[in-house]
Amino acid sequence: MAYRGHQLMYQCEHHVADYMKKHKEHVKQACHQLVNHKVKVLTIDGESIEGVVMNVDDHYVFLQVEDQRGFYPGGHGSGHGPGHGPGHGPGHGPGPGWGPGPGHGPGPGWGPGPGPGPNPNVILPLALFNLLTISLLW
């Protein structure tokens, strides 16, 4: 269906939409049984995520995740990883800058490196229709 001033670029076929709705409802019912349990989830994109099911609504399952390396690369603690090359002005590392004084040169900089560690309170929402498997972990 075209609207004045709009051009339809994609429309899901009705039988596919009906199947997706049924799949989402089936996954939602399964997830409700797993609230407060540790699970391993495999997504349609091949991601494997472990966490504790904290809540489920009509669209998402909410996992409290322990291993956050895939979600928050790098860190912001002391020794932030390698620097970004020649520096640009006074300031963030012992390397040369764009002007007088130290800048973003060799040494500590804003790159991958140790940080404060994972935040145990991070809740990851996962779309119900994106889940392939959910396994209960002991």
Side-chain angles (χ1 to χ4, degrees):
M1 171 187 270
Y3 297 97
R4 184 180 180 109
H6 295 99
Q7 180 180 357
L8 182 63
M9 301 302 291
Y10 171 79
Q11 182 172 353
C12 183
E13 296 180 32
H14 293 289
H15 72 279
V16 173
D18 289 340
Y19 180 80
M20 289 174 65
K21 288 177 186 177
K22 289 177 187 174
H23 171 71
K24 186 174 77 166
E25 186 61 32
H26 181 72
V27 173
K28 181 175 105 174
Q29 289 175 7
C31 288
H32 273 295
Q33 297 176 20
L34 297 169
V35 171
N36 295 320
H37 288 85
K38 188 171 183 177
V39 298
K40 182 175 185 176
V41 172
L42 180 64
T43 71
I44 202 164
D45 298 317
E47 293 180 86
S48 178
I49 304 163
E50 289 186 17
V52 176
V53 177
M54 301 305 291
N55 195 12
V56 183
D57 68 15
D58 288 338
H59 305 284
Y60 299 96
V61 58
F62 298 89
L63 289 186
Q64 183 176 23
V65 293
E66 296 172 6
D67 183 4
Q68 301 163 27
R69 290 176 290 173
F71 308 111
Y72 303 101
H76 298 289
S78 61
H80 293 54
H84 294 313
H88 301 340
H92 290 78
W98 278 80
H104 275 55
W110 288 96
N119 180 345
N121 298 316
V122 172
I123 306 294
L124 180 65
L126 296 172
L128 293 174
F129 66 83
N130 200 29
L131 306 182
L132 286 181
T133 65
I134 305 168
S135 304
L136 181 62
L137 298 178
W138 300 99

